[in-house]
Amino acid sequence: MSLFTFSAQEMATRSSSLRIGVVGFGHLGQYLVERILTDGATVGLTLAFVWNRNPAKLKGLVPDELQLGDLSSFANRQCDVIVEVCHPQVVKEFGVHFLSCCHFMVGSPSALADHDLNENLHKAARLYGRTLYVPSGALWGGQDIQRLNDSGALKALFIRMSKHPSCFRLTGDVLSEWTEGEGRRVLFRGSVAELCPLAPNNVNTMAAAAVAAGNLGFNGVRGEIVSDTALSDYHVVEVEVTGPDGFSARTVRRNPARLGAVTGSATYNSFWNSLLVCKGHGGRVYLC
Ligand SMILES: NC(=O)c1ccc[n+]([C@@H]2O[C@H](COP(=O)([O-])OP(=O)(O)OC[C@H]3O[C@@H](n4cnc5c(N)ncnc54)[C@H](O)[C@@H]3O)[C@@H](O)[C@H]2O)c1
């Protein structure tokens, strides 16, 4: 990635584009920033700012005028959508402020397992008429789940995420030791509300499902995380949906992923496609 200069024509295109603020410059942040800088003009997106906890990481990769030093001053930059790709704590501290100024795509939806924060973000979206976007990430069929939920027909939802043990980042000691070749081990089974604090970086897909299944919520949607040393090339996401009168649907998604990768490679493109949807859907929460 290199620094960019813009022609007069490109500047005109920029002014009619959606201005995106990116909060976080890790794997996802760098991917999104690079795509906005290279492809943004063709899809109507421009970069408003980039913030990172360690600003030194931005040097030489993000034009100086687009680097934001202090996140509290984000409102000084004109912005249409802020994308958080950072940490649930930042959602907690800034989510409502972001929504008071612009639409907000929450890249760490496991933050919404905190009931009060979830409520406050819903309220802020309604109050300010701005959309809280939740990217579907590695969730397959999220819109179908949401439709079933909205019609009152969703009875149960279960998601199992299976990964190589090197791909888990857990806060507890459920996977303190493992050996190559040990095979399959169920690490935890319970509500998504219980899973989110245990595996905040691994269960964002489940959190997106809990948002889609709003009537069941984080306490009603069930999840399971499985360590499997056979999964050296991909993560597996299985979704089981139960509706009325014997209705059920089951999907199995294989998400290519390197050893040690928390995020499957297809999820990066999925995030980009989600960002393209964030054009404003009113004061509500929207799975994109
Ligand atoms: N929705 C999804 O499907 C999905 C998929 C992958 C990752 N995620 C989430 O998106 C976020 C970013 O993912 P990533 O793969 O880019 O992670 P990463 O670890 O590569 O980057 C995270 C960045 O945020 C910074 N950071 C970490 N903790 C912070 C804190 N408390 N305050 C401020 N900055 C902090 C890090 O320094 C780093 O620059 C994570 O929360 C991750 O769980 C969501």
Side-chain angles (χ1 to χ4, degrees), residues 152-169:
L154 181 65
K155 301 296 173 207
L157 180 60
F158 172 72
I159 301 168
R160 177 185 294 117
M161 298 192 75
S162 306
K163 303 185 182 194
H164 188 272
S166 64
C167 299
F168 280 104
R169 304 282 179 275

Side-chain angles (χ1 to χ4, degrees), residues 51-282:
W51 176 85
N52 194 50
R53 181 169 60 173
N54 173 6
K57 260 184 95 177
L58 306 176
K59 295 260 177 295
L61 297 176
V62 177
D64 288 352
E65 70 278 13
L66 298 180
Q67 297 178 18
L68 182 69
D70 176 7
L71 189 53
S72 314
S73 68
F74 76 90
N76 297 338
R77 305 288 178 109
Q78 288 213 320
C79 204
D80 299 296
V81 184
I82 289 182
V83 183
E84 173 276 326
V85 271
C86 195
H87 191 276
Q89 185 58 31
V90 172
V91 181
K92 192 169 187 171
E93 279 174 39
F94 286 94
V96 168
H97 302 307
F98 291 159
L99 282 168
S100 72
C101 294
C102 57
H103 305 300
F104 174 36
M105 183 166 116
V106 55
S108 308
S110 63
L112 305 184
D114 175 333
H115 181 262
D116 291 346
L117 177 61
N118 197 351
E119 282 283 296
N120 289 340
L121 289 169
H122 274 76
K123 273 191 210 149
R126 282 196 297 272
L127 177 67
Y128 300 112
R130 303 239 163 66
T131 312
L132 175 66
Y133 288 100
V134 177
S136 45
L139 178 68
W140 194 256
Q143 306 280 354
D144 298 292
I145 295 169
Q146 195 161 37
R147 268 196 291 274
L148 204 61
N149 177 80
D150 294 350
S151 69
L154 181 65
K155 301 296 173 207
L157 180 60
F158 172 72
I159 301 168
R160 177 185 294 117
M161 298 192 75
S162 306
K163 303 185 182 194
H164 188 272
S166 64
C167 299
F168 280 104
R169 304 282 179 275
L170 304 175
T171 54
D173 60 358
V174 281
L175 187 63
S176 48
E177 285 178 23
W178 58 273
T179 47
E180 204 58 75
E182 71 174 20
R184 188 175 184 281
R185 195 177 358 149
V186 175
L187 299 177
F188 190 83
R189 179 183 253 254
S191 72
V192 174
E194 291 168 300
L195 266 162
C196 283
L198 185 72
N201 295 306
N202 293 110
V203 297
N204 286 298
T205 298
M206 292 190 197
V211 170
N215 293 341
L216 300 173
F218 282 77
N219 284 308
V221 177
R222 311 291 295 170
E224 183 177 287
I225 48 174
V226 176
S227 157
D228 190 343
T229 50
L231 299 178
S232 51
D233 298 322
Y234 53 86
H235 303 162
V236 179
V237 184
E238 294 164 83
V239 178
E240 290 175 20
V241 182
T242 309
D245 306 323
F247 173 90
S248 71
R250 181 164 185 264
T251 61
V252 181
R253 171 176 172 150
R254 288 184 172 197
N255 221 17
R258 284 173 293 103
L259 277 178
V262 178
T263 304
S265 44
T267 305
Y268 290 87
N269 204 42
S270 165
F271 254 74
W272 174 252
N273 288 325
S274 294
L275 185 56
L276 298 180
V277 174
C278 299
K279 297 191 167 135
H281 288 79

